[in-house]
Amino acid sequence: MLKKWLWGTTLTLALALTGVLVYYGYSIVHFANSISTASGNDSSSTTDGDGNTGTPTTPIPKWEGKERVNILLLGGDSRGDDAGRSDSVMVASIDPVSKRAHLFSILRDTYVEIPGHGKSRLNAAFSYGGAELTKQTVSNLLGIPIQHYVYTDFIGFMALVDAVGGIDIDVEKDMYYTSKADKHMYDIDLKKGLQHMDGKTALQYVRFRHDATSDFTRTERQRIFMTELAKKLQSTTSLFKIPEILEAVAPYIETDLSPTQMLKLASLGFDINVNEVDKQQIPPNKLLTNELAGSAQVLGVDKNKLQAFIQNLFEEDAQAEQQ
């Protein structure tokens, strides 16, 4: 099975691609029916009198619910037969009433309770029980229901970036790292300054964490990159490449979203401005503590205070709707 790795593909689909749905309805439907869905196939194609399946004709459905939608976005670092750990953990949270959205980057060294496995770093949840256990763990940490997940790997990320024609990023400093363990397949060698990145160099940018601030600045770079990716997908150039882009990334995505649910999420994002999406590091620095788990240093957090912080953000969304 192809590896799967993701930094924001679902948020991009939900918030950036919706503006072109009316132009490429068939391509979206075809994409939704091509990805690997954990919940099985969704009937969204026509059937003739002999029972033969024909061309998908599903119209773009509207999101009808009023409850907040929270989707776990996972990027895996699997190696061969090793399931690996989650290299990136994000949550896209969308309020369908206020049309406000949040993107939470969760620090992977956060010390959490993993159901059935005791306490460990957050990214260990994936190696213990895959996306479903990670979804449960994140839900317990944030105090919110996580309805769905999307997961992909390095190859999927590079395919997406290459499909949109690359991304322009102003690299803040030189970045260099080598790894014999990966046979130098994922070495990092970037120079400071504005660069046009293809999939390979973009992967280096969002993965680099070998500096004084480690995962803190790495997750910040991931949020920056996702914003630029969403903008690129909304650009006139990419507008005419949507079918090609969707075809390129479909083989690398695994999700428990049905095709119809993905289409509804895309419809939900139609009125959301990508530039106004709130992007947060979770836990925020003010709630972090340095702790030791045995001889290893981990990031501690008061779960009650963190959940109160999240709920305050959501309450602000509700207040905005009333104004």
Side-chain angles (χ1 to χ4, degrees):
M1 179 181 293
L2 292 172
K3 298 177 183 178
K4 303 168 182 73
W5 188 92
L6 173 72
W7 274 296
T9 302
T10 292
L11 185 70
T12 301
L13 288 172
L15 305 182
L17 297 183
T18 52
V20 298
L21 289 178
V22 291
Y23 300 101
Y24 294 107
Y26 170 79
S27 297
I28 300 290
V29 174
H30 178 70
F31 165 76
N33 282 282
S34 297
I35 63 173
S36 173
T37 55
S39 56
N41 294 328
D42 192 318
S43 57
S44 57
S45 59
T46 60
T47 304
D48 61 25
D50 297 325
N52 296 318
T53 302
T55 301
T57 58
T58 303
I60 304 302
K62 295 293 184 182
W63 189 270
E64 299 174 349
K66 302 297 182 183
E67 298 298 320
R68 177 177 293 276
V69 185
N70 303 306
I71 304 171
L72 179 67
L73 311 174
L74 289 172
D77 65 349
S78 57
R79 301 286 195 279
D81 295 331
D82 180 7
R85 300 192 176 198
S86 50
D87 198 61
S88 175
V89 182
M90 292 185 173
V91 172
S93 180
I94 307 171
D95 184 344
V97 177
S98 68
K99 300 296 190 296
R100 293 168 66 93
H102 301 268
L103 179 63
F104 301 131
S105 301
I106 308 178
L107 297 171
R108 66 181 191 172
D109 287 339
T110 305
Y111 200 52
V112 298
E113 185 71 35
I114 301 176
H117 297 275
K119 298 199 72 172
S120 186
R121 289 185 175 93
L122 173 62
N123 67 336
F126 188 83
S127 63
Y128 291 142
E132 285 294 342
L133 182 59
T134 306
K135 185 169 70 171
Q136 184 180 355
T137 303
V138 172
S139 178
N140 293 343
L141 175 66
L142 302 186
I144 60 177
I146 306 291
Q147 293 91 349
H148 300 288
Y149 75 85
V150 181
Y151 172 71
T152 190
D153 69 3
F154 295 166
I155 299 174
F157 175 78
M158 290 188 288
L160 175 60
V161 175
D162 288 338
V164 301
I167 305 292
D168 293 328
I169 292 289
D170 192 0
V171 180
E172 70 272 22
K173 62 182 178 181
D174 291 348
M175 300 178 185
Y176 182 76
Y177 174 75
T178 62
S179 174
K180 293 182 180 179
D182 290 323
K183 298 180 180 179
H184 300 288
M185 289 179 60
Y186 301 111
D187 287 354
I188 299 172
D189 188 7
L190 296 175
K191 302 301 180 184
K192 179 180 179 180
L194 183 64
Q195 299 184 37
H196 182 76
M197 296 185 173
D198 60 9
K200 184 177 180 179
T201 51
L203 181 62
Q204 295 179 32
Y205 177 74
V206 297
R207 291 193 68 225
F208 184 75
R209 67 186 186 97
H210 301 277
D211 52 19
T213 48
S214 187
D215 210 33
F216 296 92
T217 47
R218 188 183 75 130
T219 55
E220 181 180 4
R221 280 190 289 270
Q222 291 174 3
R223 294 191 297 271
I224 291 172
F225 187 87
M226 283 181 56
T227 301
E228 294 305 313
L229 177 60
K231 291 178 181 178
K232 185 64 178 286
L233 281 165
Q234 287 182 321
S235 70
T236 303
T237 301
S238 292
L239 174 66
F240 297 101
K241 296 180 62 179
I242 293 300
E244 176 186 340
I245 292 169
L246 298 182
E247 192 71 22
V249 301
Y252 306 104
I253 295 177
E254 179 184 294
T255 180
D256 60 356
L257 283 161
S258 71
T260 298
Q261 288 171 326
M262 290 195 71
L263 293 171
K264 287 184 177 181
L265 277 173
S267 177
L268 174 60
F270 188 85
D271 295 326
I272 297 176
N273 187 333
V274 174
N275 289 321
E276 294 180 357
V277 173
D278 174 57
K279 296 178 281 291
Q280 298 270 354
Q281 170 196 293
I282 299 297
N285 288 339
K286 64 182 180 181
L287 297 182
L288 283 175
T289 58
N290 290 317
E291 298 182 7
L292 286 177
S295 59
Q297 188 168 16
V298 295
L299 298 175
V301 63
D302 185 316
K303 189 168 72 172
N304 292 329
K305 291 182 179 180
L306 176 60
Q307 293 180 1
F309 174 81
I310 298 293
Q311 289 304 316
N312 183 63
L313 293 176
F314 293 167
E315 289 172 5
E316 291 177 357
D317 289 351
Q319 294 172 1
E321 169 64 16
Q322 296 173 0
Q323 293 177 355

